[in-house]
Amino acid sequence: MYGPDPVLQNLSYPPLLDQPVQLTRAELLASLETTMARHRGGAVWLFAYGSLIWRPECPTVETRRARIHGYHRGLYLWSQIHRGTPETPGLVLGLDRGGSCAGFAYRLPEQQLEEHLFALWQREMPDAAYQPKWLNCQLERGAKVQALGFVLKRNISCYAGALPDHVLRQVFDSASGRYGSTRDYVEKTARTLRAHAMPDRKLEEALVRCCRQGALDFS
């Protein structure tokens, strides 16, 4: 019989993390240029799976429900600024390898595209925790496109991976940063996904299990 993973059960909070190194404007522009050089041409689509669902950075000309395969959504990235602090790190969502993920695909306008993409890079890539990639994206009603997505890097200190419930409880209880608490961030994402008929049941179950007070009812 298999029991709980002893390594996970022995994890403590807060974790010991390196201080994130902010990318310079030149480094952000270089990353954006390299990514766009791999674009196959035509419309530029963006895949949203977390806060971009309920707080898009760019104007859009078309929004479609969509799914990508090969990556799944999880609370796998420590946040020391946006949803936590160095003393009480929070967690944010990322795409990690394996499985699939439902979200939204946004078609971006051609006008001022570079300006809008740079604003997106400033938001999503401040410390290069993500790797921008062109993902195979299945739009609702059958069309397939290449969509820009931000995939987690595993070889960085702020990669959290799957965490045990006792750590998630402490994060939901205490972690809050520049843009609010981790709990609020996760609840908004879960509510929005459910409202558009594509609930993330693992995310909902984590909230129900690990929020000590006022847990949302997703039944």
Side-chain angles (χ1 to χ4, degrees):
M1 173 180 272
Y2 294 101
D5 187 325
V7 174
L8 292 179
Q9 293 305 309
N10 289 328
L11 288 177
S12 62
Y13 180 81
L16 295 175
L17 301 173
D18 296 334
Q19 189 70 20
V21 178
Q22 302 294 298
L23 295 185
T24 65
R25 178 183 178 85
E27 288 171 328
L28 287 171
L29 286 169
S31 171
L32 173 55
E33 182 179 350
T34 299
T35 302
M36 293 309 295
R38 297 195 297 266
H39 185 234
R40 297 177 183 175
V44 174
W45 290 84
L46 170 67
F47 181 72
Y49 59 87
S51 63
L52 286 172
I53 290 176
W54 43 267
R55 188 168 65 88
E57 187 65 43
C58 304
T60 64
V61 293
E62 185 178 357
T63 301
R64 301 275 290 276
R65 295 198 304 179
R67 180 174 290 275
I68 59 166
H69 292 272
Y71 296 94
H72 67 281
R73 173 176 39 233
L75 279 172
Y76 298 150
L77 185 66
W78 290 113
S79 172
Q80 300 183 66
I81 298 175
H82 292 166
R83 296 289 168 175
T85 65
E87 295 72 30
T88 55
L91 288 165
V92 292
L93 295 162
L95 292 176
D96 206 357
R97 59 180 179 244
S100 66
C101 179
F104 285 105
Y106 299 134
R107 182 162 62 89
L108 306 185
E110 295 181 9
Q111 296 80 9
Q112 299 178 293
L113 178 61
E114 290 184 7
E115 176 184 332
H116 296 316
L117 285 173
F118 184 67
L120 179 67
W121 249 249
Q122 289 177 301
R123 170 172 163 176
E124 298 295 316
M125 294 282 292
D127 53 11
Y130 296 109
Q131 176 69 46
K133 289 190 175 184
W134 295 101
L135 305 173
N136 294 319
C137 183
Q138 181 85 43
L139 302 181
E140 190 176 37
R141 297 189 297 276
K144 295 181 180 179
V145 299
Q146 291 286 298
L148 174 65
F150 294 92
V151 175
L152 284 174
K153 295 179 179 179
R154 287 190 167 192
N155 61 341
I156 53 175
S157 72
C158 57
Y159 174 76
L163 293 168
D165 285 355
H166 73 271
V167 174
L168 290 178
R169 288 189 189 99
Q170 293 178 81
V171 173
F172 288 151
D173 280 350
S174 60
S176 186
R178 179 182 297 167
Y179 297 131
S181 70
T182 293
R183 176 173 171 172
D184 180 60
Y185 162 84
V186 177
E187 286 184 347
K188 282 184 178 179
T189 303
R191 278 198 203 101
T192 304
L193 288 167
R194 178 163 283 271
H196 289 87
M198 45 184 178
D200 185 324
R201 300 192 187 281
K202 287 187 177 180
L203 207 58
E204 294 177 355
E205 289 167 3
L207 281 165
V208 171
R209 288 196 317 271
C210 300
C211 289
R212 300 178 197 271
Q213 296 180 342
L216 295 178
D217 182 4
F218 291 103
S219 59

